[in-house]
Amino acid sequence: MNVSYIAHVSGKVQGVYFRASSQQVAIDYGLSGYAKNLDDGDVEILMCGEEKDVDKMLAWLAYGPPEAEVVSMEKKQVKWQQHNFFAIS
């Protein structure tokens, strides 16, 4: 079943390749969506794809890449969105 989730990740998540790492993980799991920096220093990630693969990505986001220090990760399921790739903005 296809699902879409938005995750809001807080902590040391900007300037540590969080978005680029998220993009690679999303590609590995066959997901589309985006990762973008927010003005408050957090990162927002939209993931669209098979539920089992989105669940794997959500688990990864709780820790992020080695350089990151994730303090919290909030997730919310949203209406299905169709994207052709995973973008960084």
Side-chain angles (χ1 to χ4, degrees):
M1 179 169 117
N2 284 332
V3 296
S4 295
Y5 273 84
I6 289 183
H8 189 106
V9 185
S10 302
K12 183 181 172 189
V13 293
Q14 289 191 13
V16 293
Y17 302 102
F18 199 95
R19 291 176 303 152
S21 298
S22 297
Q23 181 184 48
Q24 188 56 58
V25 171
I27 290 168
D28 290 347
Y29 293 147
L31 303 176
S32 62
Y34 64 77
K36 70 177 179 179
N37 285 339
L38 301 176
D39 291 340
D40 62 3
D42 295 347
V43 173
E44 178 181 284
I45 299 98
L46 170 69
M47 300 145 282
C48 307
E50 285 288 329
E51 188 170 21
K52 66 180 176 51
D53 297 318
V54 170
D55 287 344
K56 291 180 200 173
M57 177 89 178
L58 288 166
W60 180 85
L61 289 173
Y63 302 96
E67 302 84 3
E69 295 173 17
V70 175
V71 173
S72 70
M73 190 273 294
E74 298 176 12
K75 64 181 180 180
K76 180 173 98 172
Q77 187 169 6
V78 296
K79 186 177 176 182
W80 169 251
Q81 299 180 35
Q82 180 67 42
H83 293 266
N84 294 324
F85 54 89
F86 195 93
I88 295 176
S89 59

